[in-house]
Amino acid sequence: MPAGIYRLDSARSRLTARIRRGGAAPFIVRFERFDAILVYDPMRPEAAHAEVTIDPASFRNLAAARSPDLRTIAKWRSVAFVSNSFTRTARNGGVLNGNVSFFGLTKPVSIQLILTGASRGAIFVSGTSAISVANPAMIGFTGLQLGGDMQFSIEALFVRG
């Protein structure tokens, strides 16, 4: 992946969260509105930087399981992630560490990144998969009887330029 600033192609990207509620089957939500920017230089991979913003009110329940009442998240204007370090763990991936701000709290979080593909053409594009796990209480989800961790997954296409 060549050096550059990469912007999210939101039409070809998706962000989902898998959440367990008590003993019930997990439910899956997709966030319809989110944005991201990635700054990368292969000569200095440890300096990689990413920022992600999510409109928490844009979620849509995708699972058959009945989801808890998440309307309270709509009062928060955005969820924001800002990275502060990157550790390359494989030729095509690594761990991006940073802070997520959500429900008025800021907490550390790690994101596993994998470069899934790249295409050179008139415009350079890069496919990226990212997974992060969060404890619901850690990010302010209390009183919703959630069980276990929440898993967030991003399948993203970034365009350099």
Side-chain angles (χ1 to χ4, degrees):
M1 188 167 140
I5 298 172
Y6 293 81
R7 300 195 184 283
L8 183 74
D9 180 342
S10 59
R12 295 183 179 103
S13 302
R14 70 178 186 270
L15 168 62
T16 58
R18 182 179 175 94
I19 306 166
R20 294 193 65 80
R21 182 169 185 210
F27 64 95
I28 300 169
V29 296
R30 180 175 66 211
F31 293 91
E32 303 287 339
R33 292 183 300 276
F34 69 102
D35 197 12
I37 187 169
L38 175 63
V39 180
Y40 182 75
D41 180 352
M43 301 304 290
R44 297 187 56 230
E46 72 283 354
H49 178 76
E51 295 183 18
V52 179
T53 56
I54 304 165
D55 176 353
S58 72
F59 75 91
R60 192 177 91 172
N61 186 0
L62 301 178
R66 187 170 169 260
S67 66
D69 185 358
L70 298 175
R71 288 176 294 188
T72 58
I73 70 171
K75 71 180 180 178
W76 302 103
R77 295 196 173 124
S78 71
V79 175
F81 170 81
V82 177
S83 70
N84 55 31
S85 71
F86 177 74
T87 304
R88 192 171 178 170
T89 58
R91 184 175 165 267
N92 66 334
V95 178
L96 193 61
N97 294 299
N99 292 307
V100 65
S101 298
F102 191 55
F103 280 116
L105 302 171
T106 299
K107 299 288 185 174
V109 69
S110 295
I111 299 174
Q112 299 288 324
L113 289 178
I114 298 172
L115 176 65
T116 58
S119 170
R120 295 181 190 270
I123 300 172
F124 189 89
V125 297
S126 172
T128 305
S129 290
I131 295 175
S132 184
V133 176
N135 179 296
M138 180 194 92
I139 58 172
F141 273 124
T142 57
L144 295 176
Q145 300 173 350
L146 300 177
D149 289 336
M150 301 184 321
Q151 179 180 337
F152 294 87
S153 174
I154 298 176
E155 298 296 329
L157 182 68
F158 286 93
V159 179
R160 185 173 71 169

